[in-house]
Amino acid sequence: MTPASPAQAHAHTNTLVAKLWNYCNVLRDNGLSTIEYVEQLSYLLFLKMADEITSDPFTEKEAKAVVPPEYDWQSLASKKGIDLEVHYREILAALGKNPGTTLGTIFAKAQNRITEPALLEKLVVDLIGREDWTIQGTDLKGDAYEGLLAKGAEDTKTGAGQYFTPRALIDAMVDVMQPRPEDTITDPACGTAGFLIAAHSYIRKHHMQNLSREDRLALGDGKIWGNELVTGTARLAAMNMLLHGIGDADGKSLITEGDALADKPARHASLVLANPPFGKKSAITVIGTDGKADKEDISYERDDFRATTTNKQLNFLQHIMSLMEMNGRAAVVLPDNVLFEGGAGEKVRRRLLEEFDLHTILRLPTGIFYAGGVKANVLFFEKKPPRSKGANTSKLWVYDFRTAKHFTLKQHPLTRAALEEFVEAYLPGKSRTERVETERFKCFDYEELIARDKVNLDITWMKDPALDDADSLLPPEVIAQEIVEDLQAALSEFAAIAEALGGEISADTDEIQPGEAD
């Protein structure tokens, strides 16, 4: 078989994504949400791909079949109508009985939500069954699935976008972190596993030719792992990883499901890449080393947390601090409030500066996330051994990619090229002493930072020229979008205050609902 060229693979991928999305529209008309119809396609895609791998003449004959023959794709495709629907339900139930395996994660609590046998038959015969998903020389299967997830994230009404970080931002973060084959890599809030897949892809691209067969196999055998709270999203992550060649269907799942904040890390990583969930606070009780308890509904006893708070983002930051091995690196997307909030926020920032090397902050513009109203940053830091004198952070470099930068999800989406100036200024792989200050990239000494009120790291110095220059007025749709983003960000802050007072902002009514639980 002749490998496809990059252009051919890209064109084929786009065609498949369009086809998949067209069928998603059919499923949506049948009453399914974004997550649900992507799930349904995931089950069928997996069964078809497993069949192709098993049928490949180049597959080792002694290799174990991924799916038992009585539940495989051929057993499904041989049936029609009601018999097809009944057998499909049997397959979903049978394959979800092995918890802890990739197969068990993908099919955990799986249900058939395609209620019309004719529609199920159309999916099996006309779409999934007519395509080859494991084409030699391409990553068609993974790229097509990634494209489907990206399309699903655009459906903001169902909230699917909260599990998806823009690929352009992921790629820029991975490019500056430069994952290595010897790294152990994790994401404690992995969503659909975008960071983990990008890290694996980087290693394959830059190091694969120098790796032994054993090292190549090790990349997909536990050195890269993630955690996701939501069952449906965990299954999408497991499928996404598998379709990108990471892990084994019948082996231990590389995606665990559960609350990452509930327990101390069972293992540590040399590289953490994450975009923890924004928005509402967790319903929790946290008991920290300061002896205080901040109470809500769920109890976490984390004596490795130095600051007591129910702020989900601050707790994820503390969790990531514990998750890192000594000399480990992290790149984490966090909202603005982590940089300026007092109380526990100040405690966490002091610890970050003193015990870790917080060397870079990338200030992100609005309009790039599917969840509206997000003003966020990427924090880059390393875990260092304690110093006998002084803090581990000596200089913090802040790159302002927010001022005078205007993006929207559709008309002007963020691209990897737009972040190239930041990547070049970061000097990945080189000493930070070689960095050069520019209009957007400024360096601040530890003494300056620790002297700021409440150790506020929300540092600004640039002014948007569009505010003063009548000739550089933005298009009305961009101005309107930025107003919406600012209002949504303000509403998120008010929602946090309401929660602290015992109320909650209803997603449906935008009114405070006293005493209502998450």
Side-chain angles (χ1 to χ4, degrees):
M1 185 184 298
T2 303
S5 70
Q8 290 172 324
H10 182 71
H12 197 177
T13 297
N14 288 342
T15 300
L16 285 179
V17 170
K19 283 186 178 182
L20 287 168
W21 195 244
N22 284 337
Y23 276 82
C24 279
N25 289 332
V26 174
L27 294 176
R28 181 166 54 189
D29 291 340
N30 201 40
L32 300 186
S33 71
T34 299
I35 291 294
E36 286 174 335
Y37 57 66
V38 173
E39 278 182 1
Q40 296 302 311
L41 287 178
S42 296
Y43 304 147
L44 296 172
L45 281 169
F46 173 84
L47 292 171
K48 180 60 164 64
M49 188 196 74
D51 179 67
E52 291 178 14
I53 292 174
T54 304
S55 304
D56 189 336
F58 297 103
T59 300
E60 296 179 7
K61 292 184 178 180
E62 65 270 18
K64 181 181 177 182
V66 174
V67 178
E70 62 269 29
Y71 302 122
D72 66 6
W73 177 262
Q74 296 299 331
S75 73
L76 184 68
S78 65
K79 293 179 170 53
K80 295 184 178 181
I82 297 297
D83 290 340
L84 173 65
E85 182 188 6
V86 170
H87 186 55
Y88 183 48
R89 293 180 185 277
E90 292 175 349
I91 290 173
L92 297 183
L95 297 184
K97 290 182 178 179
N98 295 307
T101 65
T102 302
L103 200 63
T105 299
I106 292 173
F107 290 95
K109 302 177 184 177
Q111 296 181 7
N112 175 29
R113 300 189 185 278
I114 306 172
T115 56
E116 299 178 13
L119 178 56
L120 178 61
E121 186 174 330
K122 192 173 184 180
L123 287 170
V124 171
V125 175
D126 294 341
L127 177 66
I128 307 297
R130 287 189 178 178
E131 300 291 346
D132 290 326
W133 296 90
T134 53
I135 295 178
Q136 182 182 355
T138 75
D139 195 14
L140 174 64
K141 56 191 184 299
D143 289 346
Y145 191 66
E146 188 83 3
L148 176 63
L149 293 176
K151 292 286 288 185
E154 294 174 9
D155 188 356
T156 56
K157 291 182 180 179
T158 64
Q162 67 182 297
Y163 307 113
F164 197 86
T165 305
R167 189 57 189 254
L169 178 60
I170 289 176
D171 287 343
M173 291 169 62
V174 169
D175 284 347
V176 299
M177 297 306 287
Q178 297 186 321
R180 302 183 292 260
E182 63 270 23
D183 275 323
T184 48
I185 305 169
T186 192
D187 180 348
C190 68
T192 54
F195 279 112
L196 303 177
I197 289 164
H200 181 265
S201 177
Y202 183 96
I203 294 171
R204 287 180 60 90
K205 179 179 178 181
H206 294 275
H207 300 284
M208 191 58 71
Q209 61 183 7
N210 298 321
L211 294 181
S212 66
R213 182 177 183 275
E214 290 72 21
D215 289 338
R216 288 198 299 271
L217 293 174
L219 282 178
D221 191 28
K223 295 190 73 172
I224 300 176
W225 76 97
N227 181 83
E228 171 55 40
L229 175 64
V230 180
T231 299
T233 312
R235 95 166 79 249
L236 297 182
M239 171 63 76
N240 204 9
M241 294 268 281
L242 193 64
L243 287 174
H244 281 88
I246 311 172
D248 295 315
D250 54 353
K252 183 179 179 181
S253 178
L254 301 179
I255 302 296
T256 56
E257 179 193 335
D259 190 341
L261 300 178
D263 300 295
K264 289 183 181 180
R267 58 187 297 200
H268 298 85
S270 64
L271 176 58
V272 180
L273 299 162
N275 179 7
F278 296 164
K280 297 178 181 179
K281 298 182 179 182
S282 300
I284 59 174
T285 297
V286 175
I287 302 174
T289 55
D290 53 10
K292 298 179 181 178
D294 212 354
K295 293 186 177 180
E296 287 186 21
D297 294 339
I298 303 172
S299 178
Y300 294 162
E301 293 199 25
R302 292 291 298 265
D303 57 12
D304 54 328
F305 284 8
R306 306 288 181 81
T308 301
T309 177
T310 53
N311 181 306
K312 185 187 299 182
Q313 293 81 43
L314 285 173
N315 282 328
F316 259 107
L317 179 53
Q318 294 191 89
H319 177 71
I320 289 168
M321 290 177 180
S322 296
L323 191 56
M324 299 166 67
E325 67 181 32
M326 193 57 66
N327 296 313
R329 302 111 64 209
V332 186
V333 181
L334 292 165
D336 278 11
N337 70 75
V338 169
L339 298 184
F340 61 72
E341 187 173 297
E346 180 181 350
K347 288 183 180 179
V348 172
R349 289 191 297 277
R350 286 184 181 275
R351 182 187 174 204
L352 190 58
L353 292 172
E354 292 168 4
E355 299 181 21
F356 295 74
D357 182 6
L358 175 62
H359 55 79
T360 310
I361 293 179
L362 169 63
R363 289 171 50 80
L364 295 171
T366 58
I368 66 172
F369 293 103
Y370 295 98
V374 174
K375 288 191 173 182
N377 316 266
V378 185
L379 275 60
F380 299 87
F381 54 96
E382 298 174 0
K383 189 170 188 175
K384 297 294 184 182
R387 293 167 59 99
S388 58
K389 185 177 181 181
N392 274 317
T393 299
S394 59
K395 295 180 182 296
L396 169 63
W397 289 80
V398 180
Y399 190 97
D400 189 341
F401 188 59
R402 183 178 302 177
T403 305
K405 294 289 184 179
H406 308 281
F407 297 93
T408 59
L409 291 177
K410 293 185 178 180
Q411 285 84 8
H412 185 42
L414 177 69
T415 63
R416 172 62 182 81
L419 286 158
E420 185 59 29
E421 185 179 290
F422 163 71
V423 173
E424 292 179 354
Y426 188 101
L427 295 182
K430 296 182 180 180
S431 170
R432 288 190 285 273
T433 59
E434 299 181 44
R435 287 179 173 178
V436 177
E437 286 195 339
T438 65
E439 181 185 14
R440 291 194 178 275
F441 205 26
K442 298 294 182 183
C443 183
F444 301 87
D445 291 332
Y446 171 80
E447 289 73 19
E448 297 178 71
L449 302 172
I450 208 70
R452 291 173 61 87
D453 182 42
K454 299 179 182 178
V455 195
N456 186 338
L457 301 181
D458 187 27
I459 302 172
T460 62
W461 65 91
M462 295 183 67
K463 192 171 184 180
D464 194 332
L467 299 177
D468 298 323
D469 187 353
D471 294 331
S472 61
L473 289 177
L474 298 170
E477 65 271 16
V478 175
I479 295 174
Q481 179 63 35
E482 292 195 349
I483 291 173
V484 170
E485 295 282 354
D486 287 338
L487 289 174
Q488 289 174 323
L491 182 59
S492 295
E493 293 299 321
F494 282 123
I497 295 172
E499 285 181 311
L501 296 174
E504 180 184 314
I505 298 294
S506 168
D508 296 325
T509 65
D510 289 337
E511 295 176 351
I512 297 177
Q513 307 294 321
E516 194 172 271
D518 255 347

